[in-house]
Amino acid sequence: MLVFILKRLLVAIPVLLILIVGTFILMYTAPGSPFATDRGIPPAVLANLEAQYGLDQPFAVQIWRYIVGIVTEFDFGPSFIYRDQDVNDLIGQGFPVTLTYGFWSFVVAVIVGGALGILAAVKHNTWLDYLAVGISIGAQVLPNFVLAPILVLVFTLWLGWLPGGGWQGGQIEYIILPVIALSTSFMASIARISRASMLEVLTSNFIRTARAKGLPMRRVIFRHALKPALLPVISYLGPAFVGMITGSVVIDIYFSTGGIGQFFVASALNRDYGVMMGITVLLGTLTILFNLLVDILYAWIDPKIRY
Amino acid sequence: MNKVMLLATTGLLSATVGTASWAQEAHPITGDALASDQTFSYRLLDQFPSIDPQLIEETAGGHVARQLFEGLLTQNADGTLRPGVATEWSSEDNTTWTFKLRDDAKWSNGDPVTAQDFVFAWQRAADPATASEYAWYVELSKIENAGAVIAGDSAPDSLGVRAVDDHTLEVTLAQPLPYFPQMAVHYTFMPTHRPTIEAHGANWTNPENIVSNGAYVLDDIAVNEFFRLKPNPEYWGADEVIIKEVTGYVINDVNQALTRFQAGEFDMMDDLPAGSFPRLEAEAPDVAHSVPRLCSYYYTVNQSESGHEALQDVRVRQALSYAIDRSVITDRVLQAGQAPAFSFTHWATAGFELPSIDYADWSQQERLERAKALMAEAGYGPDNPIEINLIYNTSENHKQIATVISQMWRPLGVSTQLNNYEWQSYLDIRGNQNFDVARSAWCGDYNEASTFLDLLTTNNDNNDGKYSNPEVDRLMDLSLTESDPQATYTQVEKILAEDMAILPIYHYTQNFVLDPAIRNWPMENVENNWYVKDIYRAAAD
């Protein structure tokens, strides 16, 4: 197991390097510049700016300096747009926000989605099943950019219960709407996956045996069926968790939470090379880590898997 | 009520200390009863990249800087000049300008604001080491040696600005500039506190470090979320500042922002959703406003080698311009009080007199007939069609206008290919003349016609259509030496209309919604420069 983990971590290094170089090349070839405005900057000023940010260096030197900066000082460089801040500041400010609402969205999605799915499977072909399936399909087809404005309309404008956006250090009333908007579609997917896999498990031989020997249904489900039924859910949860904690541009834009999802898109549009690279590296690292975690969980849950 | 409850529950009111003293008091000039809650909040479309006056390069940061810092001069509600840190300003020859500074101006840490602070800030703006994207503004203001300093050929201290004593600033220009005081209002020329910048470097604008000299100080900021300002007790006019807290919320999505405005979460927002203004105005005329704004919307015609050869023919350019029914665009597409444009300079520009432009007075029917005749004369038309490439940057309004105009050009035998680019790509393509016609807009940097007209001189960096007429260049040079250049500007506009240097489309309005309780808003300031220290919240009737 330990060897497996070490191997996976070693493989992660070249993967990240490829990611950095690939993103750098894409950025380099995109037209435009972080300093372009419709005012047209005098050449002398542009040269000063490029010199300050090292853009006057050849491509190889730029990327080498970037990687060396990360490896030796964990320095992701300056932001090209937010002149008063560097990338570490911006991610340091934005990531805790996305981590918070992402984490709560994950918790809500797993609990509600899992419960719905299991309930639907256990009460297969009853009104409860249809209701649960109905809810999850409804939640699935309602994209969050539609849901978010509806939530604000209802809870902010009509009812006046919750603020329509902002973060204010993560007070509870600012978290609720983003969490609902973000968790809904994940919840629906979890419900569907867990329902399908629970149904499959419930018809398998070992469950029939368990029931035949007279175990109560509750015990059969929680003791025997749940663990194998969770396997497909878990393989979905790894990437879903990364997707949630790294934020969503939709949530950030609609609820002005100040999370990194918005930074990511804005940095691509503004050609803020520093911020874009920084968030790419962060997302890449998290994706690799959580996929690894999922694999480890797999081995723990399914005794058939050995590394 | 809703709003108060909301704010109270969220703790936003946590620091309304001192507002109680205003309860039931009346405004000293208007006599309105003042609300007990003297706060003002507004929505920002995007996070401002910087609030360092010398690094700001867009309006959102500029609005914040106007509250935090005070330049030599500021503006009245109607846009005319009023004393800021300077109480008197004068020049014998429009070349050497002397500003007398008030002796009670202080930084938020108690230091006096001196002429040296301005010298430092202005040198800093031009210094290549600062790498300011607005260094060009120093050059535009014609301060002696600005070009050489920016290019790195001269030391920053050779810039034509010096402190005669602590309270006298002397500016030497390379050529006479009658409107220099107007230019001095701009944020690039606001003073900055040298010891703070030297101590904290790029982090000097953080709330814990910043030292400012305006009516407010920065209290808190979270990027892409909000910022909050508090009154500056050291400000020389602190006694007259009524609003005790200013908050800006960054809300990218415009519809979401409007919903939140309607829920009472903040008091003002501009950049309203496309096409929403007529409805808002009908629903709440005391909330929705449309005021002139010093920007012009036009199409740049590429007259360089890389443009369509037909566009080098003045008759084709005239035909394209004549065929545009501007009233359709202002009254049907935009519907927010914009004015059809036949000149580049905005009609509301101070002192500017519109020339009599013949086609402005024709009926659209007449224009279209002339346009067809001109096309035929130039050898084009439905039998010999031309295909032009029209570029615009992503925006619902730009797209609608481009679509409408392409239809208006169809009868001339012009088929238009619409190409939409996101902002950065668009700038790249437009700046390198890889287009035939480009959607463009220009906003005045100061309230004087030359801020528009300079753009169409041959060597201007922003002359993306590469229009060139020696007569225009000569007249613009001449205008600099005149004590009253307005007649010259009118003459230049007349030439631009004859040459059809650009295709003017409309003059902007600023459309915004404002809580009617907020009073003294500068509705007549065409540069849209507002100072929170001038406004107040009236008590509910």
Side-chain angles (χ1 to χ4, degrees), chain B residues 151-451:
Chain B
D153 297 336
S154 293
D157 60 13
S158 64
L159 192 70
V161 53
R162 71 186 185 100
V164 178
D165 57 50
D166 279 0
H167 297 108
T168 311
L169 185 73
E170 188 185 86
V171 185
T172 312
L173 307 182
Q175 59 187 67
L177 208 57
Y179 49 86
F180 183 78
Q182 272 91 331
M183 294 195 76
V185 171
H186 201 266
Y187 43 76
T188 309
F189 285 155
M190 288 174 181
T192 36
H193 191 247
R194 183 175 196 156
T196 306
I197 295 176
E198 284 174 351
H200 301 288
N203 293 326
W204 78 271
T205 55
N206 292 359
E208 64 272 23
N209 301 333
I210 192 167
V211 170
S212 61
N213 75 323
Y216 292 89
V217 290
L218 181 66
D219 181 50
D220 197 3
I221 181 167
V223 175
N224 274 331
E225 190 198 344
F226 81 106
F227 71 87
R228 185 168 51 234
L229 312 180
K230 291 274 184 222
N232 172 7
E234 299 288 343
Y235 179 59
W236 59 269
D239 291 346
E240 276 120 54
V241 174
I242 300 175
I243 297 285
K244 297 296 177 201
E245 183 178 281
V246 184
T247 316
Y249 299 104
V250 181
I251 307 169
N252 300 133
D253 185 77
V254 64
N255 291 301
Q256 196 80 339
L258 189 59
T259 310
R260 291 176 61 184
F261 171 80
Q262 287 168 333
E265 287 198 18
F266 47 88
D267 305 311
M268 192 277 282
M269 73 175 273
D270 47 24
D271 288 304
L272 300 173
S276 69
F277 187 77
R279 179 176 60 82
L280 291 169
E281 197 187 25
E283 282 171 8
D286 57 338
V287 172
H289 302 276
S290 170
V291 297
R293 178 175 169 212
L294 213 52
C295 303
S296 295
Y297 192 104
Y298 63 100
Y299 275 1
T300 302
V301 182
N302 184 359
Q303 292 152 64
S304 76
E305 294 289 306
S306 60
H308 195 293
E309 58 168 355
L311 298 176
Q312 312 213 8
D313 187 328
V314 63
R315 291 168 297 189
V316 174
R317 295 199 300 271
Q318 284 172 335
L320 291 178
S321 179
Y322 293 172
I324 299 172
D325 188 348
R326 290 157 177 86
S327 61
V328 167
I329 290 162
T330 54
D331 300 345
R332 300 285 160 79
V333 180
L334 301 163
Q335 308 182 61
Q338 289 86 354
F342 301 94
S343 65
F344 186 27
T345 309
H346 193 289
W347 66 268
T349 308
F352 176 67
E353 214 171 297
L354 278 174
S356 61
I357 291 169
D358 49 6
Y359 76 100
D361 300 327
W362 303 344
S363 70
Q364 189 56 37
Q365 187 58 35
E366 215 173 325
R367 284 184 205 134
L368 191 59
E369 275 159 23
R370 296 273 191 129
K372 284 180 182 161
L374 283 165
M375 285 299 274
E377 218 177 284
Y380 302 101
D383 312 328
N384 183 17
I386 54 176
E387 186 172 325
I388 57 176
N389 160 21
L390 167 59
I391 66 163
Y392 62 94
N393 57 297
T394 310
S395 145
E396 196 48 43
N397 276 345
H398 301 336
K399 184 176 161 185
Q400 285 181 9
I401 291 171
T403 310
V404 168
I405 288 181
S406 70
Q407 290 305 312
M408 291 169 175
W409 284 346
R410 197 169 281 268
L412 306 181
V414 175
S415 72
T416 316
Q417 205 190 351
L418 301 183
N419 287 306
N420 173 22
Y421 294 96
E422 51 88 30
W423 183 241
Q424 289 295 340
S425 304
Y426 156 83
L427 289 178
D428 193 60
I429 290 165
R430 197 182 69 174
N432 291 306
Q433 284 77 45
N434 292 321
F435 66 95
D436 296 326
V437 175
R439 170 268 149 189
S440 308
W442 187 257
C443 293
D445 292 305
Y446 48 93
N447 192 359
E448 217 262 354
S450 62
T451 190

Side-chain angles (χ1 to χ4, degrees), chain A residues 53 79-85, chain B residues 44 46-66 68-69 124 130-133 187 192 201-206 210 218 221 223 227:
Chain A
Y53 286 94
S79 163
F80 291 65
I81 299 292
Y82 302 110
R83 306 259 319 246
D84 310 347
Q85 258 119 350
Chain B
L44 288 80
D46 280 312
Q47 177 64 47
F48 39 79
S50 179
I51 49 168
D52 178 333
Q54 276 81 52
L55 295 184
I56 297 173
E57 29 117 359
E58 42 71 66
T59 53
H63 285 311
V64 181
R66 263 185 292 280
L68 292 176
F69 297 91
R124 183 171 174 259
T130 314
S132 167
E133 291 185 40
Y187 43 76
T192 36
N203 293 326
W204 78 271
T205 55
N206 292 359
I210 192 167
L218 181 66
I221 181 167
V223 175
F227 71 87

Side-chain angles (χ1 to χ4, degrees), chain B residues 16-226:
Chain B
T16 46
V17 190
T19 53
S21 65
W22 286 99
Q24 302 311 314
E25 281 187 34
H27 188 267
I29 295 162
T30 64
D32 283 339
L34 294 176
S36 56
D37 160 39
Q38 289 298 339
T39 59
F40 169 69
S41 52
Y42 71 104
R43 171 251 183 174
L44 288 80
L45 170 65
D46 280 312
Q47 177 64 47
F48 39 79
S50 179
I51 49 168
D52 178 333
Q54 276 81 52
L55 295 184
I56 297 173
E57 29 117 359
E58 42 71 66
T59 53
H63 285 311
V64 181
R66 263 185 292 280
Q67 322 312 327
L68 292 176
F69 297 91
E70 186 172 72
L72 292 171
L73 305 170
T74 63
Q75 286 176 342
N76 289 310
D78 61 356
T80 52
L81 294 177
R82 72 175 170 190
V85 174
T87 48
E88 290 168 45
W89 56 99
S90 61
S91 174
E92 295 281 315
D93 53 0
N94 289 339
T95 306
T96 305
W97 286 89
T98 308
F99 295 85
K100 286 278 178 207
L101 311 192
R102 62 177 75 244
D103 48 19
D104 56 349
K106 284 194 185 135
W107 291 98
S108 54
N109 67 350
D111 289 356
V113 178
T114 62
Q116 285 84 357
D117 293 323
F118 284 91
V119 174
F120 167 71
W122 295 19
Q123 289 177 355
R124 183 171 174 259
D127 188 346
T130 314
S132 167
E133 291 185 40
Y134 251 60
W136 60 264
Y137 191 79
V138 185
E139 199 169 1
L140 189 71
S141 69
K142 313 287 183 206
I143 297 178
E144 200 172 56
N145 272 334
V149 172
I150 292 167
D153 297 336
S154 293
D157 60 13
S158 64
L159 192 70
V161 53
R162 71 186 185 100
V164 178
D165 57 50
D166 279 0
H167 297 108
T168 311
L169 185 73
E170 188 185 86
V171 185
T172 312
L173 307 182
Q175 59 187 67
L177 208 57
Y179 49 86
F180 183 78
Q182 272 91 331
M183 294 195 76
V185 171
H186 201 266
Y187 43 76
T188 309
F189 285 155
M190 288 174 181
T192 36
H193 191 247
R194 183 175 196 156
T196 306
I197 295 176
E198 284 174 351
H200 301 288
N203 293 326
W204 78 271
T205 55
N206 292 359
E208 64 272 23
N209 301 333
I210 192 167
V211 170
S212 61
N213 75 323
Y216 292 89
V217 290
L218 181 66
D219 181 50
D220 197 3
I221 181 167
V223 175
N224 274 331
E225 190 198 344
F226 81 106

Side-chain angles (χ1 to χ4, degrees), chain B residues 458-503:
Chain B
T458 305
N459 294 320
N460 193 289
D461 288 331
N462 299 307
N463 182 353
D464 288 325
K466 299 292 167 205
Y467 166 75
S468 174
N469 182 337
E471 183 61 8
V472 169
D473 296 350
R474 189 188 68 80
L475 287 170
M476 288 313 292
D477 281 342
L478 175 72
S479 74
L480 292 171
T481 60
E482 295 175 311
S483 58
D484 180 10
Q486 297 302 336
T488 308
Y489 295 151
T490 306
Q491 206 182 335
V492 171
E493 279 289 0
K494 207 159 169 65
I495 298 174
L496 296 180
E498 280 159 14
D499 286 354
M500 212 55 83
I502 54 160
L503 315 181

